[in-house]
């Protein structure tokens, strides 16, 4: 009897020992699990707090910049009858979402070109800037290819038309300040109609405007393996009038009698990468 009891007791001890061993292991796992959980929660919290801090910091900078600009703007008084002559150039801007005119897969290797001759080069140079979300403007030397892009842009649901060119944009702003403005720019009748009447335009009036295509994209939009870290736009054009300053002669002739208080010159960057003829 004693022997049987002892056996039962031993088995009991053994079981208790096993239980203790088991629960120790369980507790070990549980502790490890909870340390893991605490660590993950802490990381998530820290990431969240860091993000909040970054957002606050960025919006503070934005707010300060905006306030500073408004203060500068208010500190300058423009006398209403100031006469400003401003050149050069104008264009019709067509703003469009890039994924509504680019349906091709991206190239495997983005590459940079100063001026673009065909679709292949276009896709490569677009990808080159797109992957970094970097702004750029490039000349397309192939008019046939450029017309194909314009045709697609005009059909795109997101297409918007605005008056383009640095000089016209500044001219519109000067008129809002009450200034008198002579704008040195060639343009079509239909673009001229989009301007406020108070801006005097040097001309000449031409059959067709230079067109600038602004291909916009949002941050994070996937195009194959590329995804831009920020929203931006890539501009292409096939200008022939702006790089040659085709409004220069008319502008100078009209300036002689105009006698402006201020002469502003802009738009010369359109000569960049333009294949000027030697003659
Ligand atoms: C110009 O573009 C057209 C239309 O995309 C194309 O067929 C032609 O090959 C291009 N020309 C050159 C020189 O690449």
């Amino acid at each position: 009897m004693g022997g049987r009891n002892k056996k039962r007791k031993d088995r009991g001890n053994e079981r208790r020992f096993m239980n203790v061993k088991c629960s120790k292991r369980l507790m070990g796992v549980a502790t490890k699990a909870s340390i893991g959980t605490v660590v993950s929660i802490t990381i998530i919290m820290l990431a969240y707090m860091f993000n909040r801090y970054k957002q606050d910091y960025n919006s503070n900078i934005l707010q300060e910049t905006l306030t500073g600009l408004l203060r500068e703007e208010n500190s300058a008084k423009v006398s209403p009858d100031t006469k400003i002559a401003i050149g050069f150039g104008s264009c019709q801007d067509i703003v469009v979402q890039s994924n509504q005119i680019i349906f091709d897969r991206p190239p495997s290797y983005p590459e940079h070109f100063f001026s673009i001759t065909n679709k292949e080069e276009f896709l490569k140079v677009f990808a080159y800037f797109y992957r970094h979300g970097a702004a750029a403007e490039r000349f397309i030397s192939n008019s046939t290819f450029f017309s194909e892009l314009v045709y697609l842009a005009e059909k795109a649901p997101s297409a918007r038309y605005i008056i383009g060119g640095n000089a016209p944009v500044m001219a519109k702003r000067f008129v809002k300040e009450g200034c008198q403005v002579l704008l040195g720019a060639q343009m079509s009748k239909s673009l001229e109609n989009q301007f406020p009447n108070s801006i005097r335009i040097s001309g000449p009036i031409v059959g067709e405007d230079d067109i600038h295509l602004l291909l916009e994209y949002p941050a994070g939009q996937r195009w194959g393996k590329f995804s831009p870290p920020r929203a931006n736009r890539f501009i292409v054009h096939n200008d022939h009038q702006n790089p040659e300053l085709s409004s220069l002669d008319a502008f100078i002739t009209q300036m002689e009698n105009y006698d402006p208080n201020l002469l502003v010159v802009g738009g010369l960057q359109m000569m960049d990468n333009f294949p000027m003829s030697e003659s």
Side-chain angles (χ1 to χ4, degrees), residues 242-245 268 270-279:
N242 288 323
E244 308 223 320
L245 300 185
L268 302 186
M270 296 315 298
M271 294 173 167
D272 259 4
N273 305 321
F274 182 74
M276 295 284 176
S277 60
E278 296 295 317
S279 58

Side-chain angles (χ1 to χ4, degrees), residues 84-89 182-186 200-204 244-260 263-265 268:
I84 303 176
I86 177 166
F88 290 99
L182 167 67
L183 170 64
Q186 76 295 333
R200 197 167 127 189
I201 294 164
S202 73
E244 308 223 320
L245 300 185
S246 58
S247 60
L248 184 64
D249 291 342
F251 184 66
I252 288 177
T253 312
Q254 294 179 41
M255 271 258 289
E256 279 164 12
N257 302 321
Y258 193 68
D259 193 24
L263 168 66
V264 182
V265 175
L268 302 186

Side-chain angles (χ1 to χ4, degrees), residues 84-152:
I84 303 176
I86 177 166
F88 290 99
S90 74
C91 58
Q92 176 71 71
D93 278 356
I94 308 181
V95 187
V96 69
Q97 287 301 310
S98 68
N99 65 355
Q100 291 181 356
I101 72 157
I102 298 174
F103 303 110
D104 302 79
R105 294 167 56 77
S108 313
Y109 302 102
E111 203 180 329
H112 182 252
F113 296 92
F114 283 107
S115 75
I116 297 166
T117 354
N118 54 39
K119 188 176 190 173
E120 201 187 348
E121 289 183 3
F122 167 73
L123 292 172
K124 282 183 171 176
V125 72
F126 179 74
Y128 183 86
F129 291 107
Y130 183 87
R131 64 190 167 153
H132 300 302
E137 180 169 70
R138 286 295 174 270
F139 176 69
I140 295 186
S141 57
N142 182 338
S143 317
T144 317
F145 175 57
F146 184 70
S147 313
E148 289 173 356
L149 288 179
V150 171
Y151 176 76
L152 289 174

